[in-house]
Amino acid sequence: DCGNSATPLQGGVHGLWMIAHARNTKTNQEVSIWTFDKRKYTSDPRYNKVQSYKSAVHTLFDIIRRDGSLMAKLIHPRVLKLVEPFEETAASFTVVTEPVVGSLHDVCGNVREFDLGVAEVLAGGVQLAQAIEFLHTAGLVHRGISPWTCVVAEDGSWKLGLGFVYAKTSVEADELRDAFNFPPHDANDGPPIHAQLAYTAPELAHPSQPNASTAAAAATPMQSLMDIGIDNTMGAVPSTVATPPDAAADIFSLGAVMFRALSSACKSQTTELISCKGNAATYRRMLLDAPNSTGGAGARLHELRNLLARSGSAMMNDANEPIFDLLSNALSQNPSSRPSAANLTRHPAFMRPETQALGMLDNLLAVE
């Protein structure tokens, strides 16, 4: 059995992995098989004619191998479990994992039927925050969190899946710095070795930005991106636990992922907070230069706030302010204004009874 969906499921960095459902013939266990087809790039005419293209392909394969090496070492309930290790042939990479409904990209795009409401997004968001807390406690920063690198397991829980290709520890040299040197044009004409720009924090995408705005952000921490009148009284207190450098970048990415999921939950036509298609100039305009203008990131968050207020159930209406307090803090342009992962898991938006009930149900299903 290789899947029951007419539309292929996609996951991992940039959605480059195809996901199929199968059953292990030895154990009779349901699994998901992830396949990365190397031939998509090695059969391209440029591979043997353009040295820069060939070099980029080899870089892409190297970071895919790095993904497999890291995932084999990460054991946590909120990290996708490998059933069989990475395998590499001349034609492909393959890995077998616990069964998944699909990536969050698949779920948000309605590729697979899944009841995605506001409560489900909050339950999934806190589970991803728990996974990020685990990474940061271990001194690891993900730097590649996006709807493609988050998965929904068969029990409904949300986990970090394939996509640790840009991760780094606090002590190792950043050999993947080029992954965040985004070109000023659309980055769609070669192997996707850059991080997913729409979900990348500004201090990684534009390293000079935090230094330029630190003083202003410290004086008015909420004003940098979301100057839309949100009460900041529910902001988390600073964590006393040391976190690795760039850890706040993962919090920004989680905020952007939750925006995507909430937009899907309320059937919004706006899907991404920063719709830049890998274009660094568009990213800067939407997030840094004019966030509150039409189409800007701040304006889009304000639109989502209003849409949720109109379309939400009576039970969830009083959750709107905590939700947007959470997003506003997570999506701050200033890294020091974002909560730590540990504090984020205790945010009032995540402490609602219906959200905790869903989390408890997921835990029970996982035990079974």
Side-chain angles (χ1 to χ4, degrees), residues 12-86:
V13 60
H14 289 276
L16 296 177
W17 293 82
M18 297 295 106
I19 311 169
H21 301 287
R23 186 176 294 275
N24 188 313
T25 56
K26 295 181 180 179
T27 64
N28 202 36
Q29 177 186 18
E30 289 188 0
V31 295
S32 289
I33 300 177
W34 299 61
T35 305
F36 178 101
D37 189 352
K38 292 180 176 181
R39 293 168 296 186
K40 176 180 179 180
Y41 300 103
T42 57
S43 63
D44 189 297
R46 292 174 292 178
Y47 183 75
N48 291 316
K49 295 180 179 179
V50 182
Q51 182 57 40
S52 60
Y53 181 88
K54 185 173 184 177
S55 177
V57 170
H58 288 173
T59 298
L60 175 62
F61 291 171
D62 283 342
I63 62 177
I64 293 295
R65 295 183 187 103
R66 190 173 186 272
D67 194 7
S69 176
L70 264 175
M71 283 207 68
K73 302 174 184 177
L74 297 172
I75 310 298
H76 189 271
R78 301 307 179 202
V79 176
L80 186 66
K81 179 182 178 181
L82 301 189
V83 176
E84 296 180 13
F86 270 60

Side-chain angles (χ1 to χ4, degrees), residues 87-210:
E87 291 187 4
E88 180 180 1
T89 67
S92 67
F93 293 101
T94 305
V95 65
V96 181
T97 73
E98 63 179 293
V100 300
V101 174
S103 68
L104 191 55
H105 168 76
D106 294 324
V107 170
C108 289
N110 298 317
V111 173
R112 291 293 304 274
E113 293 185 4
F114 187 83
D115 186 14
L116 187 64
V118 175
E120 285 74 21
V121 174
L122 292 177
V126 72
Q127 290 165 345
L128 293 178
Q130 290 165 354
I132 295 170
E133 180 184 3
F134 160 68
L135 297 181
H136 292 178
T137 301
L140 188 68
V141 188
H142 192 290
R143 303 195 304 174
I145 295 169
S146 76
W148 289 267
T149 61
C150 300
V151 298
V152 179
E154 287 287 352
D155 63 8
S157 61
W158 292 19
K159 306 187 178 193
L160 292 177
L162 271 67
F164 286 83
V165 297
Y166 307 117
K168 70 179 289 287
T169 67
S170 56
V171 296
E172 69 181 340
D174 193 356
E175 298 177 354
L176 299 173
R177 182 68 248 179
D178 285 347
F180 300 95
N181 289 333
F182 297 98
H185 52 78
D186 290 354
N188 297 323
D189 56 353
I193 61 175
H194 292 90
Q196 199 81 28
L197 181 56
Y199 296 89
T200 299
E203 65 269 22
L204 293 179
H206 294 276
S208 62
Q209 180 63 22

Side-chain angles (χ1 to χ4, degrees), residues 268-337:
S268 172
Q269 294 183 350
T270 298
T271 57
E272 291 183 322
L273 181 74
I274 313 168
S275 299
C276 58
K277 297 181 179 179
N279 188 304
T282 302
Y283 176 100
R284 173 174 281 279
R285 175 178 55 79
M286 291 188 67
L287 182 66
L288 305 177
D289 296 338
N292 295 314
S293 63
T294 302
R300 288 186 172 202
L301 184 58
H302 192 47
E303 291 168 5
L304 177 62
R305 182 189 191 187
N306 292 336
L307 185 58
L308 277 173
R310 293 195 302 269
S311 62
S313 65
M315 180 177 66
M316 293 300 295
N317 276 343
D318 64 336
N320 287 343
E321 291 308 312
I323 289 172
F324 284 92
D325 177 82
L326 183 155
L327 291 179
S328 298
N329 281 282
L331 293 167
S332 173
Q333 288 185 20
N334 183 22
S336 64
S337 295

